[in-house]
Amino acid sequence: MTHSAAKDQTPGGHGAAPGDATPAVTEAAGRAFAAMFRVLKLARPDRPIHPQGIGLAGHLTRAGSSGATSGLEWLDTPGIDSVRARFSRSVGLPQQLPDILGLALRVTPSSGVITDVLFASTGWRLPGRFLLQPKLDVASATFTTLMPYRGGKGPVLLGLRTSELPAGPLTSGEWVLLLYWAKPTGPWRECGELRLRAEPEPADTPLRFNPLENQPPGAQTYAWTRRLREHSYRAAQRPAPPAVVHSAAASATPGATERNTMSTVSQLFNSPAADVWRVIADGWLYSGWVVGTSRIRAVDDRWPEAGSRLHHSVGGWPLVIDDSSQVTAVEPGRRLEVVARGWPMGEAKVVITLEDRGGQCQVTISEDAVRGPGKLMPKFLRDPLIAVRNRETLRRLELMAAGGAGK
């Protein structure tokens, strides 16, 4: 018997709710979500979703039960809890576009038991309370836990609605929300008030929230919700692959601010920077390490000086496209900036930096589409694709540098 199946049959434990989907279906869906998270993690090593957030702190006042009870000990008992929170946009779309809004809470009751509760922007009525809804801002958003907790009286959803907002940005004052609970198809019942203010700099918080492990007192997780979420949480919080570097780690090198907006991968080579630069400086070698380049047709004599061009072909025979790449900036031995053309797909800006570490070298490639159809693809989709390709490019470049190419 599998571990998840055993939990399904544990009396009083993570048992299945009435109408629970089969374990095989929810397990498969959970693994599919995790696979998507692993792909996104190539472009966003630390947080594949909700990449940027605002750290908040405050307190939650629980009113306790007055009549109907939720069956969750924590909700049904009055008290005041300290709270740290993180507000974020799920996909990370520009502020001008609607996005799934998220509010993660770390609540510390007087008992000292850490509780993590994740809310997302959804509808409020049925069936909207079970459907994610993109919103422009918190003023028009309602939040629910989307999936129910298992309490002493069956499944319980939690919800939040904004009561008061700062006059300016969310970071400029106090954000007040009312806390509710409901049975999956029942009415919402107010049970508390949450007051939050932005934490001092840095604006974001390093906290990682795990609602599966840090559940409210008296609450349990249904097995089907655990199967849907557990693999994704594990994938999201797993350390980044070695060839992926978080933008903050690159902040000490030239051009890092710009690279923070681009798909960025990095790898430590067991070759000195001079050997790596020899390969990069020989334009005739590009088809050997740049993924997608099938052949080099000509190289300007001044390559890789600023303004010089490398004439290449992309694609596989017989479907090859002739185009060129032009150097826009260069620091010999340290940095090369190129606009790579491959029409009709468009143009991309590529920045290659070398950080000399004696007998080793940290090589970083940052890239993003700047013109053409490729730029029309949403950034959260194109970044992982670019990252996968450039990780292979780094592997090939390391092999060529170690083999003495360009000497």
Side-chain angles (χ1 to χ4, degrees), residues 6-86:
K7 287 191 291 187
D8 288 345
Q9 299 179 25
T10 302
H14 305 303
D20 181 16
T22 63
V25 172
T26 49
E27 178 72 16
R31 291 188 180 277
F33 291 144
M36 179 185 69
F37 274 51
R38 285 191 289 271
V39 172
L40 289 173
K41 201 171 177 68
L42 294 173
R44 296 171 173 173
D46 279 354
R47 299 182 189 269
I49 62 173
H50 299 279
Q52 297 179 332
I54 299 172
L56 304 161
H59 63 272
L60 171 66
T61 302
R62 291 177 280 109
S65 61
S66 56
T69 57
S70 68
L72 300 184
E73 173 191 339
W74 172 60
L75 283 185
D76 296 336
T77 306
I80 299 178
D81 308 326
S82 63
V83 177
R84 291 189 66 190
R86 184 177 190 262

Side-chain angles (χ1 to χ4, degrees), residues 203-227:
D204 207 345
T205 173
L207 282 180
R208 297 303 182 102
F209 302 84
N210 192 328
L212 298 181
E213 301 303 324
N214 302 323
Q215 300 171 36
Q220 294 177 328
T221 303
Y222 284 106
W224 64 272
T225 66
R226 181 174 287 271
R227 289 193 296 268

Side-chain angles (χ1 to χ4, degrees), residues 197-278:
R197 285 184 176 271
E199 290 186 313
E201 295 293 340
D204 207 345
T205 173
L207 282 180
R208 297 303 182 102
F209 302 84
N210 192 328
L212 298 181
E213 301 303 324
N214 302 323
Q215 300 171 36
Q220 294 177 328
T221 303
Y222 284 106
W224 64 272
T225 66
R226 181 174 287 271
R227 289 193 296 268
L228 282 173
R229 303 167 84 173
E230 193 167 31
H231 298 296
S232 297
Y233 290 156
R234 190 178 299 130
Q237 297 185 9
R238 183 176 295 137
V244 179
V245 47
H246 178 45
S247 58
S251 60
T253 61
T257 301
E258 177 185 62
R259 289 204 305 273
N260 290 352
T261 65
M262 304 170 73
S263 171
T264 300
V265 296
S266 184
Q267 184 170 318
L268 182 64
F269 288 14
N270 288 317
S271 298
D275 289 357
V276 180
W277 185 255
R278 286 192 193 98

Side-chain angles (χ1 to χ4, degrees), residues 6-326:
K7 287 191 291 187
D8 288 345
Q9 299 179 25
T10 302
H14 305 303
D20 181 16
T22 63
V25 172
T26 49
E27 178 72 16
R31 291 188 180 277
F33 291 144
M36 179 185 69
F37 274 51
R38 285 191 289 271
V39 172
L40 289 173
K41 201 171 177 68
L42 294 173
R44 296 171 173 173
D46 279 354
R47 299 182 189 269
I49 62 173
H50 299 279
Q52 297 179 332
I54 299 172
L56 304 161
H59 63 272
L60 171 66
T61 302
R62 291 177 280 109
S65 61
S66 56
T69 57
S70 68
L72 300 184
E73 173 191 339
W74 172 60
L75 283 185
D76 296 336
T77 306
I80 299 178
D81 308 326
S82 63
V83 177
R84 291 189 66 190
R86 184 177 190 262
F87 171 75
S88 56
R89 295 165 62 85
S90 177
V91 180
L93 296 175
Q95 295 289 335
Q96 300 81 1
L97 298 176
D99 204 337
I100 304 298
L101 308 183
L103 182 61
L105 305 183
R106 171 153 294 177
V107 182
T108 307
S110 56
S111 63
V113 178
I114 291 176
T115 294
D116 288 344
V117 187
L118 303 189
F119 293 89
S121 57
T122 68
W124 196 248
R125 297 185 175 88
L126 290 169
R129 64 179 63 171
F130 300 108
L131 300 173
L132 294 170
Q133 292 191 5
K135 293 290 182 178
L136 276 174
D137 52 48
V138 298
S140 60
T142 54
F143 300 85
T144 73
T145 52
L146 197 65
M147 298 183 187
Y149 288 101
R150 178 176 182 169
K153 295 185 176 182
V156 179
L157 283 173
L158 303 185
L160 288 170
R161 299 186 73 168
T162 296
S163 173
E164 298 176 30
L165 275 172
L170 200 58
T171 55
S172 65
E174 190 172 51
W175 183 17
V176 183
L177 304 101
L178 300 179
L179 177 67
Y180 296 81
W181 69 268
K183 295 296 182 180
T185 60
W188 289 104
R189 300 177 184 274
E190 186 179 334
C191 59
E193 181 184 73
L194 176 64
R195 292 181 173 268
L196 297 172
R197 285 184 176 271
E199 290 186 313
E201 295 293 340
D204 207 345
T205 173
L207 282 180
R208 297 303 182 102
F209 302 84
N210 192 328
L212 298 181
E213 301 303 324
N214 302 323
Q215 300 171 36
Q220 294 177 328
T221 303
Y222 284 106
W224 64 272
T225 66
R226 181 174 287 271
R227 289 193 296 268
L228 282 173
R229 303 167 84 173
E230 193 167 31
H231 298 296
S232 297
Y233 290 156
R234 190 178 299 130
Q237 297 185 9
R238 183 176 295 137
V244 179
V245 47
H246 178 45
S247 58
S251 60
T253 61
T257 301
E258 177 185 62
R259 289 204 305 273
N260 290 352
T261 65
M262 304 170 73
S263 171
T264 300
V265 296
S266 184
Q267 184 170 318
L268 182 64
F269 288 14
N270 288 317
S271 298
D275 289 357
V276 180
W277 185 255
R278 286 192 193 98
V279 180
I280 294 173
D282 189 337
W284 290 101
L285 296 178
Y286 269 59
S287 59
W289 60 277
V290 177
V291 174
T293 303
S294 56
R295 63 190 179 196
I296 303 299
R297 296 177 290 110
V299 179
D300 287 2
D301 292 339
R302 298 187 299 113
W303 181 270
E305 294 179 16
S308 62
R309 290 181 180 271
L310 183 152
H311 304 271
H312 53 67
S313 301
V314 297
W317 184 88
L319 302 176
V320 293
I321 300 170
D322 294 340
D323 218 316
S324 65
S325 295
Q326 182 175 21

